[in-house]
C-alpha cells in the first residue's frame, strides 16, 4: 500500500481550498494545511481563540506568548488580521461566516456523521472544544485523517460507534489512501493515492465505496 | 471612583469556599496566573471553575487541581498536552466535569452577563451533549435550549487597566476575558500596566462597569 505522509496529505487538502476562502483548521494534522496553499491564492485562516488572519510561525526568539492558535502554537498575524473575543469568534463559526473547516476525526460514517470528541473509554476525559460549533455553522466540512486506526480497525464506517460530534455534516474525507466524497449513496471515490487499488482500499473500509 | 487594589492578595480576599469562579484564558494565553497563585495562597476550596481548559503541567488551573481545591470543572477542552493533574483527578473520580461545546460555553457566559434567560443553538443537536435538554425544530433545523452560566467571581487577565476598571487586551489573550467580565457578580482583573491616566475611550475593550477591582501584575507568562 502507498500511504501519503501527513505533509503530503496536508498539501492535497490545500489544493481544494479556493482563493479568497475563510478557513478554520482543526487542531492536530489539519494545522499543516496552511503551509501548502498553492501560489497565487490568498486564504484567510481563523483560529477559534480569537484571531482571523493567522500567519506563519514566528522565528525562534520572536514568539509572543500571548499570540497563539487553537493548537496552542505560536503564530504571527498575517496582513489584514484581527483579534476578537470568544463570543465574536463563535459568531463567525456558528453564524455561517467561515467557508471551510478542516477537522480530524476518530470516525466518519457513510451518511456524513462525524465522531471526534469522545471515545467509549470512560476513564479518558472527553474534549469537544469548538468542533460541534464548526460542524453546525460551516457549510463545507472536510475531514483529514488516517484511513484506519493503529490497530487496523476501520475509521470509515457504515455507522459511527463513538458519540457523534455532528450529524450528516461531512462533505469530503481525505485519508492517506484515498479521497472520498459523502453523497446520498454513501462514500464515493474521488481518487486513490497513486499505487493503491480500489480493492485494497475497500478492504480497509467498513462502508461500501461507490465509484 | 478607584477600583485599583495594591496587591493580588487583597484582590482575591473576597473569594470563599464553594465559590463558582470563571477564569479567562485559552491554552496559556490570557490566563490570570498571578490571581490564580494568589487564590492558591488564600486557600479557598470546594471551588467550581469555569474556563476553556483545565490547566497544563503545574501552572494555573492545574495547580489548583494538584492542591485539591476544585470540586468541579466546567470547560470545553479539559484534555490538553500536559493536562496531567486534570487527568489524574478525573481518572480517580475526584473531580466533576461538565463538558460544554466552546461556542455554547462562550454564549452561556455572554447570556448571563447580558440578562438573557436562555437561547436556542444548533450546536450539539442530536448528540450526547444535548441529552435531557429541551429542543426545538425551527424551519426544519434542530436547536438545543441552553441556559445562562453565572459565576460569583471572574479572574481576568488584561494588558492595560485604569482606575475606573476599563480594560484592553493583547493579541489572543483577549479570548474569554471580556465575556467573563460581564457574567460574574464580582470581576477581578490583573493587568500588565495599570495606569493613573484613563485609557482612551476608543481603545477600551471591556468597559469598567463590568470590572470590580484591578490589580497590576506586570509579568507576562
Amino acid at each position: 500500500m502507498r500511504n501519503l505522509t501527513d505533509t503530503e496529505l496536508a498539501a492535497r487538502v490545500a489544493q481544494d481550498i479556493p482563493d479568497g476562502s475563510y478557513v478554520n483548521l482543526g487542531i492536530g494534522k489539519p494545522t499543516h494545511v496552511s503551509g501548502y496553499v498553492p501560489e497565487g491564492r490568498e486564504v484567510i485562516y481563523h483560529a477559534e481563540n480569537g484571531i482571523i488572519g493567522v500567519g506563519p510561525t514566528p522565528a525562534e526568539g520572536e514568539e509572543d506568548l500571548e499570540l497563539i492558535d487553537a493548537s496552542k502554537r505560536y503564530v504571527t498575524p498575517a496582513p489584514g488580521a484581527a483579534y476578537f473575543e470568544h463570543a465574536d469568534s463563535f459568531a463567525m463559526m456558528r453564524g455561517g461566516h467561515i467557508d471551510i473547516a478542516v477537522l480530524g476525526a476518530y470516525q466518519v460514517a457513510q451518511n456524513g456523521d462525524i465522531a471526534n470528541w469522545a471515545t467509549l473509554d470512560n476513564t479518558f476525559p472527553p474534549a469537544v472544544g469548538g468542533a460541534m460549533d464548526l460542524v453546525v455553522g460551516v457549510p463545507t466540512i472536510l475531514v483529514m485523517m488516517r484511513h484506519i486506526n493503529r490497530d487496523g480497525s476501520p475509521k470509515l464506517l457504515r455507522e459511527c460507534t463513538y458519540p457523534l460530534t455532528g450529524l450528516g455534516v461531512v462533505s469530503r474525507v481525505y485519508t492517506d489512501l484515498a479521497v472520498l466524497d459523502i453523497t446520498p449513496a454513501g462514500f464515493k471515490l474521488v481518487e486513490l493515492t497513486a499505487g493503491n487499488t480500489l480493492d485494497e482500499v475497500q478492504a480497509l473500509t467498513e462502508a461500501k465505496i461507490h465509484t | 471612583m478607584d477600583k485599583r487594589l495594591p496587591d493580588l492578595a487583597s484582590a482575591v480576599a473576597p473569594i470563599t469556599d464553594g465559590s463558582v469562579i470563571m477564569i479567562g484564558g485559552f491554552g496559556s494565553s490570557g490566563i490570570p496566573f498571578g490571581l490564580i497563585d494568589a487564590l492558591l495562597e488564600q486557600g479557598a476550596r470546594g471551588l467550581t471553575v469555569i474556563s476553556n481548559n483545565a490547566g497544563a503541567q503545574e501552572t494555573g488551573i492545574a495547580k489548583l487541581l494538584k492542591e485539591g481545591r476544585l470540586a468541579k470543572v466546567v470547560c470545553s477542552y479539559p484534555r490538553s498536552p500536559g493536562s496531567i493533574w486534570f487527568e489524574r483527578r478525573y481518572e480517580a473520580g475526584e473531580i466533576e466535569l461538565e463538558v460544554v461545546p466552546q461556542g455554547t460555553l462562550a454564549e452561556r457566559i455572554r447570556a448571563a452577563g447580558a440578562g438573557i434567560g436562555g437561547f436556542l443553538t444548533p450546536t450539539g443537536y442530536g448528540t450526547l451533549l444535548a441529552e435531557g435538554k429541551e429542543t426545538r425544530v425551527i424551519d426544519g433545523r434542530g436547536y438545543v435550549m441552553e441556559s445562562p452560566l453565572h459565576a460569583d467571581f471572574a479572574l481576568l487577565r488584561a494588558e492595560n487597566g485604569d482606575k475606573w476598571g476599563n480594560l484592553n487586551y493583547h493579541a489572543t489573550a483577549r479570548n474569554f476575558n471580556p465575556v467573563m467580565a460581564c457574567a460574574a457578580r464580582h470581576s477581578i482583573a490583573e493587568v500588565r500596566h495599570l495606569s493613573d491616566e484613563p485609557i482612551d475611550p476608543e481603545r477600551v475593550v471591556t468597559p469598567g462597569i463590568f470590572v470590580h477591582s484591578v490589580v497590576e501584575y506586570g509579568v507576562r507568562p
Side-chain angles (χ1 to χ4, degrees), chain A:
Chain A
M1 296 292 289
R2 163 87 172 98
N3 306 69
L4 293 183
T5 63
D6 286 352
T7 51
E8 287 170 332
L9 187 55
R12 175 62 191 86
V13 175
Q15 295 297 320
D16 287 353
I17 297 180
D19 182 40
S21 302
Y22 288 101
V23 176
N24 180 291
L25 300 177
I27 63 173
K29 295 189 207 309
T31 53
H32 299 297
V33 170
S34 62
Y36 298 93
V37 178
E39 198 72 21
R41 292 187 205 171
E42 183 181 18
V43 175
I44 298 185
Y45 295 100
H46 168 269
E48 68 201 25
N49 57 309
I51 172 173
I52 192 146
V54 178
T57 308
E60 213 176 312
E62 301 285 302
E63 298 91 351
D64 178 336
L65 304 188
E66 293 188 328
L67 180 43
I68 59 173
D69 67 9
S71 299
K72 285 98 179 175
R73 297 178 316 162
Y74 298 118
V75 296
T76 53
Y83 303 124
F84 37 83
E85 53 114 321
H86 248 81
D88 288 346
S89 186
F90 280 78
M92 294 176 194
M93 295 155 75
R94 208 193 302 105
H97 307 282
I98 308 272
D99 301 307
I100 297 171
V102 185
L103 301 176
Y106 296 141
Q107 299 178 330
V108 175
Q110 59 189 355
N111 65 351
D113 288 357
I114 174 173
N116 75 351
W117 72 282
T119 65
L120 301 174
D121 176 358
N122 285 335
T123 61
F124 189 61
V128 65
M132 285 193 186
D133 302 283
L134 283 169
V135 298
V136 299
V138 179
T140 301
I141 301 292
L142 308 179
V143 169
M144 177 179 165
M145 64 180 195
R146 297 273 120 193
H147 203 90
I148 55 173
N149 289 307
R150 282 199 189 90
D151 67 4
S153 58
K155 290 162 69 82
L156 293 159
L157 307 175
R158 286 190 288 271
E159 273 180 48
C160 294
T161 58
Y162 287 175
L164 296 181
T165 306
L167 287 69
V169 294
V170 175
S171 304
R172 182 173 271 197
V173 184
Y174 300 80
T175 80
D176 46 334
L177 303 181
V179 179
L180 303 161
D181 274 341
I182 306 284
T183 70
F187 290 114
K188 185 168 190 307
L189 185 67
V190 176
E191 67 192 45
L192 293 164
T193 299
N196 297 335
T197 67
L198 179 60
D199 286 348
E200 286 171 326
V201 175
Q202 179 65 72
L204 298 172
T205 310
E206 188 200 73
K208 166 88 178 147
I209 300 174
H210 299 271
T211 52

Side-chain angles (χ1 to χ4, degrees), chain B residues 68-202:
Chain B
R69 305 294 171 78
L70 307 189
K72 182 176 177 182
V73 173
V74 181
C75 71
S76 87
Y77 210 81
R79 176 162 39 82
S80 307
S83 58
I84 41 171
W85 280 103
F86 174 79
E87 285 165 43
R88 209 166 287 182
R89 297 282 178 236
Y90 185 83
E91 277 163 31
E94 294 165 348
I95 187 95
E96 190 184 339
L97 171 67
E98 180 180 347
V99 173
V100 182
Q102 201 171 144
T104 300
L105 182 64
E107 199 63 15
R108 288 180 66 192
I109 295 167
R110 201 194 72 80
I116 303 293
F119 57 92
L120 293 164
T121 176
T123 302
Y125 183 82
T127 75
L128 203 57
L129 294 187
E131 264 179 20
K133 292 179 181 166
E134 191 182 331
T135 57
R136 264 176 78 174
V137 175
I138 303 171
D139 291 338
R141 186 161 204 215
Y143 293 83
V144 185
M145 178 77 163
E146 294 284 358
S147 56
L149 199 52
H150 295 272
D152 300 310
F153 296 92
L155 306 184
L156 314 170
R157 168 78 184 172
E159 183 70 1
N160 296 292
D162 65 21
K163 69 176 207 162
W164 293 270
N166 295 311
L167 306 174
N168 66 26
Y169 303 89
H170 174 72
T172 55
R174 189 179 310 195
N175 55 60
F176 279 93
N177 286 294
V179 274
M180 288 181 171
C182 313
R185 211 165 36 74
H186 184 113
S187 296
I188 306 163
E190 69 167 56
V191 301
R192 188 165 188 233
H193 305 288
L194 183 53
S195 170
D196 292 334
E197 296 301 314
I199 297 174
D200 174 357
E202 293 281 16

